Amino acid sequence: MNTLTMLGTGSALVTRCYNTCFAISTPGATLLTDAGGGNGILCQLRKAGMHPDGIDFMFLTHAHTDHIMGAVWLVRTAASSLRGGRRHAPLRIFGHGRALGVLREMCMLLLSGSDRAVLDRAVSLCEVADGDVVTAGQTSLLCFDIGSTKEKQFGYRATLPGGSTLVCLGDEPFNEHNRPQAEGADWLMSEAFCLYADRERYRPYEKHHSTALEAGRTAASLRARNLIVYHTEDDSLATRKERYGAEARTEYGGNVVVPDDLETIFL
């Protein structure tokens, strides 16, 4: 059985939910995408019934604080577990050179000497380029550059055990250049910073983000079978499912999922 657990669903400055990150669990392996903005990732994993030592692979999309800072805590945990004999294989972290370089520099500056001493045994930093295909257990990941003008960022097309596909577009609007990688996915993950109806309040376009309306339009254009909307503001959590879903459905006739933190989706 393949599942996706949304450990966090919020954008950078949220305080009522955790920053966007999620775990894909397949038979024999767990892949974490990003880790949020701090050691809250450890709390979210615990709440989800997951342990950091059970994370086999990680995909780091980019080096913004709300995506990369939590990775430092996972590296620290991996180093501690290796020294304590609880981890026997390194945590493999996929990412482009810029993101992995930032992560390594932060770890060298912030971790203890004992953790730094085992860093290269506890963690394997696996650099990927646009178009590379890597494997995470039985999952194949086609990595692609989303063409961000703000911060170098990669997404991926995952082919899961059993053959279903999931596309992570990153946390910026869809780039038409990525249509070959994104089209026809069973599951499309698209950021939606806010509702189109609230665009004057949140100004998503100034932040290189989109709305639930555009997420629905993108899903329809790419002929996705299911749409997962995430990376939102946190003022509307009580009504987010209903309102974001309704707005996305004005442009898209497929299944729309607007998950809460810690919600599990069966893929």
Side-chain angles (χ1 to χ4, degrees):
M1 181 181 297
N2 306 320
T3 62
L4 182 149
T5 301
M6 293 299 305
L7 297 167
T9 57
S11 55
L13 297 179
V14 295
T15 58
R16 300 176 180 90
C17 58
Y18 191 60
N19 304 129
T20 290
C21 54
F22 55 91
I24 298 174
S25 298
T26 58
T30 297
L31 166 70
L32 179 68
T33 296
D34 293 337
N39 75 340
I41 184 61
L42 304 181
C43 180
Q44 294 304 98
L45 286 170
R46 179 184 292 272
K47 289 178 180 177
M50 307 172 76
H51 193 280
D53 291 343
I55 304 298
D56 307 289
F57 304 92
M58 181 177 175
F59 190 97
L60 192 58
T61 62
H62 63 298
H64 281 169
T65 54
D66 56 316
H67 295 261
I68 197 172
M69 293 297 289
V72 176
W73 289 90
L74 289 176
V75 171
R76 177 179 178 178
T77 301
S80 175
S81 293
L82 182 78
R83 289 190 287 104
R86 298 180 299 278
R87 178 180 278 275
H88 304 288
L91 169 63
R92 297 189 66 195
I93 304 179
F94 300 110
H96 56 75
R98 154 78 178 162
L100 295 184
V102 170
L103 176 60
R104 184 174 184 84
E105 183 173 2
M106 288 195 301
C107 290
M108 296 306 291
L109 289 170
L110 299 173
L111 297 186
S112 67
S114 57
D115 287 338
R116 295 197 307 271
V118 300
L119 182 63
D120 291 325
R121 288 193 291 128
V123 175
S124 177
L125 300 180
C126 308
E127 183 175 349
V128 297
D130 185 35
D132 281 356
V133 177
V134 296
T135 57
Q138 300 179 58
T139 298
S140 172
L141 301 174
L142 169 61
C143 310
F144 58 85
D145 191 329
I146 73 167
S148 173
T149 58
K150 184 170 63 171
E151 172 69 27
K152 187 176 180 66
Q153 183 172 173
F154 273 23
Y156 60 76
R157 183 186 185 98
T159 302
L160 306 172
S164 64
T165 54
L166 178 146
V167 170
C168 170
L169 293 174
D171 74 352
E172 294 193 21
F174 170 66
N175 186 329
E176 186 63 30
H177 176 75
N178 296 134
R179 178 171 290 275
Q181 296 90 351
E183 197 160 28
D186 293 301
W187 296 88
L188 181 71
M189 302 190 68
S190 176
E191 61 88 19
F193 189 75
C194 65
L195 295 170
Y196 183 78
D198 292 334
R199 65 194 182 281
E200 294 301 323
R201 175 183 178 187
Y202 292 106
R203 302 186 181 278
Y205 310 126
E206 296 177 9
K207 303 176 178 70
H208 294 246
H209 290 310
S210 57
T211 70
L213 184 83
E214 281 111 20
R217 186 175 296 158
T218 295
S221 171
L222 292 174
R223 298 182 293 107
R225 292 173 177 82
N226 301 272
L227 170 64
I228 300 173
V229 175
Y230 67 114
H231 201 274
T232 77
E233 47 78 26
D234 66 342
D235 296 322
S236 62
L237 296 185
T239 60
R240 182 174 62 176
K241 274 185 180 293
E242 178 184 355
R243 296 183 67 210
Y244 276 66
E247 186 172 276
R249 292 184 192 99
T250 63
E251 296 285 334
Y252 171 65
N255 178 45
V256 180
V257 181
V258 185
D260 292 322
D261 284 15
L262 305 177
E263 187 169 334
T264 294
I265 301 165
F266 293 90
L267 302 174

